[in-house]
Amino acid sequence: MEDTSTYTHLPLTLDPATKALTSTDPSLEAPLTDLNKLHRLFISLDTSPQVPPPPMPVNPKRSVQITKLRESGNAAYKKGSYPEATQLYTLAIRMASDRPAWEASGLVREELSALYGNRAQASMAQQLWPEASVDAEVSVEMKRVGNVKGWFRRGVSLKEMGRWEEAGEWVRQGLEFEKAGPEKANLAELEGLAKEIEGRKGKS
């Protein structure tokens, strides 16, 4: 057995064009032939369409399109065109959901949280409480902390459906998450909703 502490320099040469290895040492001819053959085999393989490309920056065109749809939805909402706003938010949600799997998941969750929250607000404006409740819940699932509006929207939707116990538990949980989050200074609406729910439960 060779002494592993001894370094032996092998006379190897790399062809810059073919990347093939050669040597002046006859004892290396056979292993290098096999190695070069394997290298050529790998190069000849067709890349499967199922194999994603290497990590790359987020597609800026898709981001621009999603932003434009969301802004158009916001404009429609401000004009009182709530069904149109809902439709635009839905298109933006589909586009964000269709991002390739290798793009940053954090970005996708952030986008979807905001978009589901927007659509929940549009549904609330139309008093579509079940739809608003589902969208607000998805928004919170995507972003639990730093999403006071998401917690508030579902709490209101549950309250409007008469699901007081569920609304109270939801708002309580939201306050627990958000009191330690970046929006802890903006809890007035959520705290007010909690008091309203508790007051209603006290009378029942």
Side-chain angles (χ1 to χ4, degrees), residues 4-98:
T4 57
S5 64
T6 302
Y7 169 74
T8 303
H9 182 74
L10 298 176
L12 298 175
T13 303
L14 176 68
D15 187 310
T18 65
K19 307 300 181 185
L21 287 170
T22 56
S23 177
T24 56
D25 186 342
S27 66
L28 296 177
E29 182 178 354
L32 286 180
T33 298
D34 291 339
L35 182 61
N36 290 328
K37 182 179 179 181
L38 183 62
H39 176 249
R40 290 193 300 273
L41 179 62
F42 278 128
I43 292 177
S44 67
L45 290 175
D46 291 330
T47 303
S48 169
Q50 300 301 318
V51 177
M56 59 181 291
V58 171
N59 185 336
K61 291 183 179 180
R62 185 181 292 268
S63 297
V64 169
Q65 290 172 329
I66 292 171
T67 299
K68 284 184 177 179
L69 284 170
R70 186 183 181 193
E71 289 176 348
S72 297
N74 292 344
Y77 180 88
K78 290 177 181 178
K79 291 189 299 183
S81 302
Y82 305 126
E84 181 186 354
T86 298
Q87 185 177 18
L88 289 164
Y89 294 140
T90 299
L91 290 173
I93 286 170
R94 288 175 184 168
M95 187 167 289
S97 299
D98 287 341

Side-chain angles (χ1 to χ4, degrees), residues 82-137:
Y82 305 126
E84 181 186 354
T86 298
Q87 185 177 18
L88 289 164
Y89 294 140
T90 299
L91 290 173
I93 286 170
R94 288 175 184 168
M95 187 167 289
S97 299
D98 287 341
R99 280 190 181 278
W102 58 82
E103 290 193 0
S105 62
L107 169 67
V108 177
R109 295 178 72 87
E110 190 78 25
E111 281 180 339
L112 289 174
S113 176
L115 290 167
Y116 274 106
N118 289 146
R119 196 170 70 174
Q121 186 65 39
S123 293
M124 290 172 70
Q126 301 170 82
Q127 298 187 0
L128 301 174
W129 306 117
E131 291 86 345
S133 175
V134 170
D135 277 353
E137 185 175 16

